[in-house]
Amino acid sequence: MNKKKLEQIKEQYKPIIEEKRAKWQEEHDTPFYTRQTRLVLRNVEIIEPTSVHEYIATDGYFGFAKALTMQPQEIIDIVKESGMRGRGGAGFSTGKKWQFVHDAQSETKYIVCNADEGDPGAFMDRAILENDPYSVLESMTIAGYALGAQKGYIYCRAEYPQAVKNCKAAIIAARKNRLLGDNLFGTNFSFNIELRLGAGAFVCGEETALIASIEGKRGEPRPRPPFPAVSGLYGKPTLINNVETLSAIPMIIFEGAERWNKIGSPNNAGTKVFALAGNITNGGLIEVPMGITIKEIIYEIGGGYAEGSKVKAVQAGGPSGGCIPASMFDLPIDFDSLQSVGSILGSGGLVVMCDKVCMIDVAKFFIKFSVDESCGKCVPCRIGNIKLLNILEKITSGRGEESDLCELEKLSKTIIETSLCGLGQSSPNPVLSTLTHFREEYLDHIHNRRCGAGICRELTTYEINEKCIMCTACIKVCPVDAITGELKKPHYLSKEKCIKCNKCVPICPVDAIVRV
């Protein structure tokens, strides 16, 4: 393959891509799509994922061809000038990370794509790998040339079978078309990529745990420094970027740093892909400029909440993120703004919650996730999160005391300050953010033994109100005969017998059974 061949392929397939793109835009002419700025997702649902020719027709591999005419430092400088910050969660400067690996002295270096996406409700990386795998392959090849590496690994979750299948096919096709392998484009630069599958451990999304897993070891983090840029895979300097970060690099190199830098907000350049989920009318994958407000995403793109209830909060950043109340929805979505309110951007999950959600139950759910996914290597994460969960369960079962809130705050801060890796260091965020923004719910649970949302079973009772049409539907589904009555005669619910299984509530045709 060479640049002349790329131009020939582009000319041949360009009309096909233009027709596909026009058809896609016509079929997706709704605010959900028209309010987006699709750069990373530019090829998603447009090109045939495993067709290298269709990818080339979208300027694919022209970024790599341009990179081969430049000095490695020039490439790194463009990445720096773009202002790209890693989309994997921490938001560290991508250009600086590339520079560290470039400056490390070693004959052997590695490029690793972190596709171990494990946040509940997040599917950004999966969509890119399923629909546009060549953007990641090209980016890793550019990084290999710029940093002096000849080998790359894509570490992908085995739970993503279609992404795995398309990546394998793309790697094979890239090798066949001399876009991977030896002496690429007639130069002395060689680069190859292998696909490695993760077994589903959330902690392997952390850099050092991921490295251990690729090496065939137990997926556990190690202390840093040394950082992977100095001593990573097999003890060699290693660049680790996630899928979304890598996917933007070919466009940045081909079109210049300004293409990315002119979008977004100060110190937060470019776009961000989010998985919009939860109590929202239009959920799905969106790509928006950094700095857009939460309100714009929820109401102008997501369409608000469909069932008449109010949107109460947004959980940003996955299990390590914080809950942001509706009163703060004018907050810009970027790394710095979210951090200022006790949340994080994370990999890009946005879970919308309505006023029927109990925020303590939400915190409990995410802490339970962290307990299940902790590797157990360090005591603060292994024991501390279990203690957090125990306190939250105490509160939601009606046994809470006000002193528990002080204990939650103290324990959360200790876990953050003393945990070994990012999982433990950020796991208390849901607790701290709900304590800050929804403290009245904690106090209601503790002092009034009441869950306003009716979620916590031990604090919830049921009543049959005057709407009842005496149809006996609820009597038929009650497993403990807590409801009595006959057809066309008043029904009664015994609070002593009721086990709060909630089977009667959805079966009532007139919503006569209510939580109190």
Side-chain angles (χ1 to χ4, degrees):
M1 185 67 72
N2 52 47
K3 188 176 181 181
K4 183 177 180 181
K5 181 66 173 177
L6 289 179
E7 290 171 346
Q8 291 173 347
I9 294 172
K10 179 180 177 180
E11 190 67 25
Q12 180 182 354
Y13 283 84
K14 188 176 180 179
I16 298 173
I17 297 303
E18 288 177 344
E19 182 179 348
K20 284 187 173 185
R21 199 175 296 279
K23 183 178 179 181
W24 186 92
Q25 291 174 344
E26 181 181 348
E27 293 175 349
H28 296 76
D29 187 20
T30 65
F32 181 81
Y33 291 99
T34 57
R35 288 283 285 110
Q36 296 186 40
T37 303
R38 295 170 72 91
L39 299 182
V40 172
L41 302 180
R42 60 195 178 276
N43 295 330
V44 171
E45 297 182 335
I46 304 294
I47 67 172
E48 169 58 39
T50 58
S51 171
V52 67
H53 293 154
E54 290 196 11
Y55 176 70
I56 290 171
T58 65
D59 295 325
Y61 281 99
F62 281 85
F64 175 55
K66 180 181 177 181
L68 288 175
T69 67
M70 304 165 66
Q71 294 298 315
Q73 188 59 53
E74 292 180 89
I75 300 170
I76 297 169
D77 288 342
I78 291 177
V79 178
K80 287 181 180 179
E81 290 166 15
S82 73
M84 164 67 81
R85 295 174 65 174
R87 271 26 182 185
F92 187 77
S93 167
T94 302
K96 285 184 179 180
K97 184 180 279 193
W98 283 39
Q99 188 72 62
F100 292 151
V101 179
H102 173 270
D103 294 346
Q105 299 300 309
S106 177
E107 293 183 1
T108 303
K109 299 179 182 180
Y110 295 102
I111 310 297
V112 174
C113 171
N114 183 350
D116 190 58
E117 183 177 55
D119 291 5
F123 46 94
M124 297 76 64
D125 292 353
R126 187 190 76 184
I128 295 170
L129 289 178
E130 286 181 355
N131 291 274
D132 194 16
Y134 289 106
S135 65
V136 175
L137 302 189
E138 181 185 2
S139 181
M140 293 176 70
T141 310
I142 292 171
Y145 174 74
L147 308 184
Q150 294 187 327
K151 185 70 176 290
Y153 293 89
I154 299 176
Y155 186 85
C156 183
R157 296 181 72 81
E159 294 93 335
Y160 287 172
Q162 191 61 49
V164 171
K165 179 181 178 181
N166 288 357
C167 278
K168 285 180 178 178
I171 290 172
I172 292 171
R175 286 174 182 158
K176 183 178 179 181
N177 286 273
R178 303 289 296 160
L179 296 167
L180 284 176
D182 298 332
N183 305 117
L184 299 178
F185 281 48
T187 68
N188 61 359
F189 171 63
S190 302
F191 192 77
N192 280 288
I193 295 175
E194 284 188 23
L195 185 65
R196 293 291 177 88
L197 303 187
F202 179 70
V203 73
C204 285
E206 195 275 338
E207 290 184 339
T208 58
L210 182 152
I211 287 171
S213 182
I214 292 178
E215 292 175 345
K217 303 171 185 174
R218 180 183 173 89
E220 291 181 337
R222 61 164 172 77
R224 297 179 298 176
F227 291 92
V230 176
S231 178
L233 188 62
Y234 303 115
K236 304 298 182 181
T238 304
L239 174 74
I240 304 178
N241 285 143
N242 85 321
V243 173
E244 185 181 344
T245 306
L246 290 169
S247 186
I249 295 297
M251 176 191 64
I252 291 172
I253 299 300
F254 181 57
E255 299 187 27
E258 187 181 357
R259 179 73 172 97
W260 189 259
N261 202 7
K262 68 181 181 180
I263 300 171
S265 57
N267 198 39
N268 291 272
T271 62
K272 180 72 186 80
V273 181
F274 291 99
L276 189 59
N279 304 131
I280 193 77
T281 302
N282 302 315
L285 214 59
I286 64 171
E287 184 177 0
V288 292
M290 292 280 263
I292 190 174
T293 65
I294 299 174
K295 183 182 291 183
E296 288 177 278
I297 290 177
I298 292 177
Y299 295 103
E300 296 182 24
I301 297 177
Y305 187 42
E307 298 178 15
S309 297
K310 295 180 181 179
V311 175
K312 181 178 185 178
V314 165
Q315 166 78 4
S320 302
C323 297
I324 302 168
S327 60
M328 301 178 69
F329 280 2
D330 286 323
L331 187 76
I333 287 274
D334 59 43
F335 292 104
D336 304 322
S337 298
L338 291 181
Q339 189 174 13
S340 70
V341 297
S343 186
I344 59 173
L345 189 65
S347 58
L350 275 181
V351 181
V352 181
M353 293 170 281
C354 70
D355 55 8
K356 296 178 182 178
V357 171
C358 171
M359 300 310 296
I360 308 175
D361 186 66
V362 169
K364 189 169 69 173
F365 170 83
F366 285 113
I367 290 297
K368 177 67 163 58
F369 179 87
S370 294
V371 167
D372 292 341
E373 294 294 343
S374 173
C375 73
K377 184 173 183 178
C378 72
V379 172
C381 182
R382 182 178 75 243
I383 304 300
N385 280 315
I386 292 176
K387 290 184 69 66
L388 283 180
L389 181 61
N390 290 340
I391 297 172
L392 291 172
E393 288 177 338
K394 178 184 174 185
I395 293 172
T396 56
S397 66
R399 298 176 290 111
E401 303 171 14
E402 194 160 347
S403 60
D404 291 329
L405 304 187
C406 293
E407 184 65 20
L408 284 173
E409 291 175 340
K410 181 181 177 181
L411 183 56
S412 293
K413 291 174 182 177
T414 300
I415 294 171
I416 290 171
E417 292 171 0
T418 57
S419 289
L420 178 61
C421 81
L423 190 155
Q425 292 164 8
S426 58
S427 60
N429 283 342
V431 175
L432 290 175
S433 63
T434 52
L435 277 170
T436 299
H437 303 302
F438 301 95
R439 198 176 192 89
E440 71 282 355
E441 289 196 29
Y442 281 88
L443 295 174
D444 194 22
H445 280 65
I446 292 169
H447 294 313
N448 303 322
R449 299 292 189 254
R450 174 181 175 273
C451 176
I455 299 298
C456 302
R457 289 179 60 178
E458 290 86 347
L459 303 181
T460 302
T461 57
Y462 294 85
E463 287 183 355
I464 299 176
N465 63 24
E466 66 279 359
K467 292 182 181 179
C468 179
I469 58 174
M470 298 169 281
C471 65
T472 72
C474 57
I475 295 175
K476 295 174 182 177
V477 298
C478 181
V480 293
D481 297 326
I483 305 176
T484 57
E486 298 178 15
L487 186 65
K488 300 301 181 182
K489 291 185 179 182
H491 292 9
Y492 303 96
L493 191 153
S494 170
K495 294 180 181 179
E496 291 73 24
K497 287 185 177 182
C498 178
I499 60 172
K500 304 169 186 177
C501 66
N502 202 47
K503 288 188 176 181
C504 58
V505 175
I507 204 70
C508 180
V510 292
D511 297 326
I513 305 176
V514 294
R515 299 185 184 96
V516 293

